[in-house]
Amino acid sequence: MKEELIARVVQVLQINMSWMTWNLFLAFIPLALSVWLFRMRRGGTWLWWLGFLVFYAFLPNAPYLLTDVIHLIDDIRTIQSVWMITLVLIPLYLLVILSGFEAYVISLINWGHYLHRIGKSQWIWRVETITHLLCAVGVYWGRFLRFNSWDFITQPDALLTKGVEEILGKQPLVIIAITFVVLASLYWIMKRVTLGLSQSNSRIGMNSGRTNSNTPNI
């Protein structure tokens, strides 16, 4: 019985690892772009604007991982072992989902850093709000209409016709509104946690530097 259960868990993990790895890869693309765009470069060039468009095209992939919780429900029904679910499945899903959403948070923090650097700090909350709304639409397109980020290039006509028509319905608007609230709320919490941890690490580094500077060389 134990061997059968372990074999079933391994099978579920093998199936999940493929889409988890792929979805995390897509989630970390905008994170990498945000570092390049908002930390290392200054806007104005055509290459920067191209990277900016690609950044927004791929950004919904990061919060999209929140919707992958539906796979967890299916896996729980498959495994049916409290210990395996508690010790293996749930921690794995939490790690993947939180990693994806943290990529979203850091990407927007980098975007805000850029706005602050160019003297547009007053625009940060507006940009964040608009981004949450755009990503809520993107998550709906991805989860329910099965569109991908590269469909902006491969099938823009379908994206603009079917995609726009779909979100004008009552049910899609409700789903998008709920997604927007979830994204904005989680982002507000995670942003403060992330910045708090970053500031704590900076203080520790500064204190260590002072300690080392006062320590005589041997």
Side-chain angles (χ1 to χ4, degrees):
M1 185 66 181
K2 284 185 179 180
E3 290 77 8
E4 182 182 349
L5 179 61
I6 293 173
R8 191 179 304 170
V9 171
V10 171
Q11 182 183 9
V12 169
L13 291 179
Q14 286 176 339
I15 295 172
N16 285 337
M17 288 309 294
S18 59
W19 66 259
M20 283 181 174
T21 303
W22 175 246
N23 285 357
L24 276 176
F25 170 74
L26 294 178
F28 278 91
I29 289 177
L31 175 59
L33 284 171
S34 74
V35 174
W36 182 76
L37 289 167
F38 308 132
R39 296 282 181 173
M40 301 172 61
R41 302 278 297 188
R42 191 168 185 87
T45 65
W46 69 268
L47 185 61
W48 189 92
W49 282 109
L50 177 61
F52 183 78
L53 292 175
V54 175
F55 167 76
Y56 263 100
F58 278 87
L59 187 59
N61 289 293
Y64 177 86
L65 279 160
L66 291 171
T67 66
D68 284 332
V69 71
I70 63 172
H71 298 299
L72 174 61
I73 298 172
D74 293 334
D75 289 343
I76 288 174
R77 291 172 180 166
T78 300
I79 294 177
Q80 295 181 343
S81 168
V82 175
W83 289 108
M84 290 295 183
I85 291 169
T86 306
L87 298 178
V88 178
L89 211 57
I90 292 179
L92 176 63
Y93 269 88
L94 281 176
L95 177 63
V96 171
I97 291 172
L98 287 177
S99 296
F101 198 79
E102 184 64 15
Y104 178 70
V105 172
I106 297 176
S107 296
L108 286 189
I109 289 176
N110 289 339
W111 193 184
H113 171 81
Y114 178 82
L115 290 172
H116 178 74
R117 194 176 73 193
I118 63 175
K120 302 291 184 181
S121 299
Q122 70 275 15
W123 282 92
I124 292 176
W125 71 269
R126 295 184 181 93
V127 167
E128 290 176 343
T129 302
I130 293 171
T131 301
H132 297 328
L133 180 59
L134 291 175
C135 284
V137 174
V139 169
Y140 179 83
W141 279 350
R143 174 53 64 190
F144 293 96
L145 304 185
R146 309 310 297 168
F147 282 121
N148 296 302
S149 298
W150 46 88
D151 287 332
F152 283 102
I153 302 298
T154 58
Q155 47 178 341
D157 51 344
L159 199 63
L160 292 175
T161 54
K162 183 181 178 182
V164 173
E165 287 175 3
E166 274 288 328
I167 64 174
L168 295 178
K170 184 177 179 180
Q171 184 177 354
L173 286 176
V174 171
I175 295 173
I176 291 171
I178 293 173
T179 305
F180 169 79
V181 172
V182 171
L183 292 185
S185 302
L186 286 178
Y187 174 77
W188 186 86
I189 296 170
M190 292 290 290
K191 179 181 179 180
R192 275 144 187 80
V193 171
T194 303
L195 292 177
L197 291 174
S198 176
Q199 290 171 1
S200 297
N201 291 334
S202 297
R203 293 193 194 99
I204 292 172
M206 290 174 64
N207 291 333
S208 298
R210 292 194 191 99
T211 303
N212 292 334
S213 63
N214 294 328
T215 302
N217 294 327
I218 299 175

